[in-house]
Amino acid sequence: MITLHWLYVLAGAMFAGFAILSAADRSNGKRWGNAAFWGLMALSLLAGDLIGDLGNGLLVLGLAALAGFGLVGRGNPPTTSIEERDAWSAKLGNRLFLPALIIPVTALFGTLLYTYTPLGASGLFEAKRETYILLGLGVLLALLTIFVWLRPPLLTPLQEGRRLIDSIGWAAVLPQMLAALGVLFAAAGVGDIIGGLTRAVIPEGSIFLTAAVFGVGMALFTMIMGNAFAAFPVMAAAVGVPLLIQDYGGDPAVIGAVGMLAGFCGTLMTPMAANFNLVPAALLELKDQYGVIKAQVATALPLLVFNILIISVAAFR
């Protein structure tokens, strides 16, 4: 049986490759920092279930220390030049996207084929993990297609991947860290504290003000933690479930769905949502790394107001 474990092994092997190539990159003054950072990432994926909670905690502290002390920098992998890429683009045109399309096509049609045909009874894939596994299989098929079609040097996928991941830097792992932080906040009882404060401040029976606290709280916590999925457990435990749903009888579907949209308004306005705001700025090499956020604020604020109004009206019809 192919389990999710092998997908972690695949990702871990990729980061291990980045670490080895970074260590050998003498053009990067921070090569040992890069090697250590991606090496720790590889260790977490390859052996995270073996080193225990303490080991994983130390691993996270190591990642934070490397990033915090500025020991991670951009490498200069020996890949193709801009002129060579332009030449390949002119030669192949839109066919360049074919390998990339193999990945979602394999995941989508592979899942449908496995789910709705007798193939599903074979037990080839771990139950309820078929799509993830097929996504990884799609990556391997895309790589195989590229090697057969374009015949690049053997290390090209790892070198190009290292160029991309070095451009993103430590921000590449921030979403996972922040999602874990949200779970810790909820487990620590932060939601109960916020719920108590909300009950003390807002007049009883004021649905609009309670919805406003819920929506604004979702946006603010998302701005702090960088991820609406991390903010949701806290604000749902504080205001959404005990006040809006249980006390005022609100529709859970509307409160949950629109509450998440309110959280995403915070995503538009924070550098903590690095994968949405800082990574694109880095990849596009924008002069202002906060330019994406500045452009999104004018959309986020009115959208947050409309989300609060929708909760106030649609959840209590």
Side-chain angles (χ1 to χ4, degrees):
M1 175 187 291
I2 303 175
T3 65
L4 201 59
H5 169 76
W6 292 106
L7 204 57
Y8 283 99
V9 171
L10 179 63
M14 179 189 71
F15 281 110
F18 292 165
I20 294 170
L21 292 174
S22 294
D25 184 3
R26 295 182 181 277
S27 67
N28 183 5
K30 298 180 178 179
R31 60 175 173 146
W32 296 116
N34 280 32
F37 192 87
W38 302 125
L40 288 176
M41 279 297 298
L43 178 63
S44 71
L45 291 163
L46 293 171
D49 54 345
L50 300 176
I51 60 178
D53 293 340
L54 178 61
N56 280 296
L58 293 174
L59 189 151
V60 170
L61 290 177
L63 290 173
L66 288 167
F69 286 106
L71 299 177
V72 180
R74 183 178 296 188
N76 187 27
T79 61
T80 54
S81 65
I82 294 177
E83 291 75 16
E84 288 173 315
R85 291 172 203 162
D86 287 341
W88 276 107
S89 176
K91 179 180 180 181
L92 298 175
N94 290 334
R95 288 180 294 166
L96 273 173
F97 295 102
L98 289 176
L101 289 175
I102 290 175
I103 301 172
V105 168
T106 303
L108 175 61
F109 291 101
T111 302
L112 293 175
L113 184 67
Y114 189 81
T115 303
Y116 296 106
T117 67
L119 190 62
S122 66
L124 179 62
F125 300 140
E126 180 183 354
K128 299 182 180 179
R129 296 289 185 269
E130 299 90 347
T131 303
Y132 299 112
I133 295 169
L134 285 163
L135 189 67
L137 183 61
V139 172
L140 295 177
L141 288 175
L143 283 174
L144 179 62
T145 302
I146 289 172
F147 275 111
V148 172
W149 181 26
L150 302 177
R151 302 183 184 281
L154 186 61
L155 289 179
T156 295
L158 281 176
Q159 294 287 23
E160 287 290 347
R162 185 164 72 90
R163 181 176 65 85
L164 179 64
I165 203 72
D166 281 354
S167 299
I168 299 171
W170 58 266
V173 301
L174 193 58
Q176 297 92 317
M177 301 294 179
L178 295 172
L181 184 62
V183 176
L184 290 176
F185 271 39
V190 174
D192 296 335
I193 296 173
I194 296 173
L197 291 173
T198 305
R199 287 177 188 273
V201 173
I202 296 178
E204 187 174 353
S206 178
I207 292 176
F208 174 76
L209 287 178
T210 308
V213 169
F214 179 60
V216 172
M218 278 294 300
L220 288 177
F221 264 90
T222 301
M223 291 176 71
I224 294 170
M225 294 192 279
N227 193 316
F229 290 100
F232 190 75
V234 176
M235 289 310 300
V239 181
V241 173
L243 296 179
L244 292 176
I245 295 175
Q246 293 179 344
D247 287 1
Y248 300 141
D251 185 338
V254 174
I255 293 169
V258 184
M260 284 296 293
L261 290 177
F264 290 134
C265 294
T267 301
L268 297 174
M269 299 186 287
T270 177
M272 299 301 285
N275 51 329
F276 291 103
N277 299 327
L278 295 186
V279 170
L283 293 178
L284 295 173
E285 298 181 347
L286 299 181
K287 293 181 180 178
D288 184 356
Q289 64 173 326
Y290 301 115
V292 174
I293 296 173
K294 293 175 182 175
Q296 292 173 159
V297 170
T299 300
L301 290 176
L303 194 60
L304 176 60
V305 172
F306 276 108
N307 282 325
I308 292 171
L309 292 175
I310 290 172
I311 293 175
S312 304
V313 176
F316 300 94
R317 290 179 297 174

